[in-house]
Amino acid sequence: MLATAFSAVVVATVIAGCTSSDGTGSPSTTEGGSITVFAAASLESAFTEIGEQFETDNPGSSVEFSFAGSSALVTQLTQGADADVFASADARNMDKAVAAGLVEGGPVDFATNTLTIVVAPGNPKGIKSFADLATPGLNVVVCAPVVPCGGATEKVEKATGVTLDPVSEETSVTDVLGKVTSGQADAGLVYVTDAAGAGDKVTSVAVPEAAQAVNTYPIAVLKESGDTQLAQRFVDLVTGAAGQKALAKAGFAKP
């Protein structure tokens, strides 16, 4: 019995020695582990590539993504959704996460994005400017105002003095793109990165006034992360050289 008790103490001591605290009361992971990243829909292409690099750099670790409109992601987080990292398409929604006490430390800006018009290949409607989107009978789709791309759209409307009358307001920029590529809409306002990712499925029409509505993307580790060290490694990868290269390839500009 004494030998058994001694063995139990030794095992417990070894386990304790192999586990370190990350300052949140949860064990930190030196190798292995899994994190969940909540990210704006427009980041899907770039973050998927960054995620593959992350798993290569951290053997035995994995990253799962939840892509959606930033406002929807913040709502999920404030309602108790589990995640380790949040990447927003604008400061407004990240500020909501900070105000709700969800963010560990402070957010870091890592990219910027601007709007462009997308239409069917060849631009059959002959759209040449933002003002053309107000043409009667033209089916235009935009993001809802609560979504970052929708907020940017409102800024462009103010800058141009042109008020749009969209047939629908979508909850994510990818939904806007989908309406155009599927032929359900004549035109839509999306980010330049989404237009680039769509390739020859769309034709882009530049919006010079969009320079007055640039969206800056912040990223942050979340307080309720099960592994803040691994989550911070992902943030460091995004803001580092490899992450910035992947973002630039997708069409994002530096913050």
Side-chain angles (χ1 to χ4, degrees), residues 30-193:
T30 55
E31 286 190 13
S34 176
I35 59 171
T36 298
V37 176
F38 274 26
S42 53
L43 291 166
E44 184 167 359
S45 176
F47 267 30
T48 297
E49 180 177 336
I50 291 173
E52 293 172 356
Q53 184 64 51
F54 177 80
E55 292 178 351
T56 298
D57 293 346
N58 298 274
S61 299
S62 63
V63 55
E64 297 182 359
F65 295 103
S66 178
F67 296 107
S70 299
S71 59
L73 293 175
V74 169
T75 298
Q76 292 175 40
L77 290 171
T78 55
Q79 292 178 348
D82 292 327
D84 300 276
V85 176
F86 174 45
S88 174
D90 68 350
R92 179 177 59 175
N93 283 290
M94 179 61 77
D95 289 344
K96 292 179 182 178
V98 172
L102 302 175
V103 172
E104 179 76 20
V108 179
D109 295 336
F110 66 93
T112 58
N113 215 346
T114 52
L115 294 178
T116 189
I117 299 168
V118 287
V119 297
N123 194 3
K125 298 293 184 178
I127 297 171
K128 298 179 180 179
S129 67
F130 186 82
D132 287 344
L133 296 180
T135 302
L138 192 70
N139 292 328
V140 178
V141 289
V142 299
C143 291
V146 295
V147 184
C149 57
T153 297
E154 289 188 325
K155 290 180 181 178
V156 176
E157 287 182 291
K158 291 179 181 178
T160 59
V162 176
T163 301
L164 303 182
D165 184 22
V167 294
S168 70
E169 295 181 337
E170 305 298 323
T171 57
S172 75
V173 67
T174 50
D175 289 339
V176 173
L177 182 65
K179 286 290 181 70
V180 176
T181 57
S182 65
Q184 297 179 64
D186 298 319
L189 278 165
V190 302
Y191 294 121
V192 293
T193 53

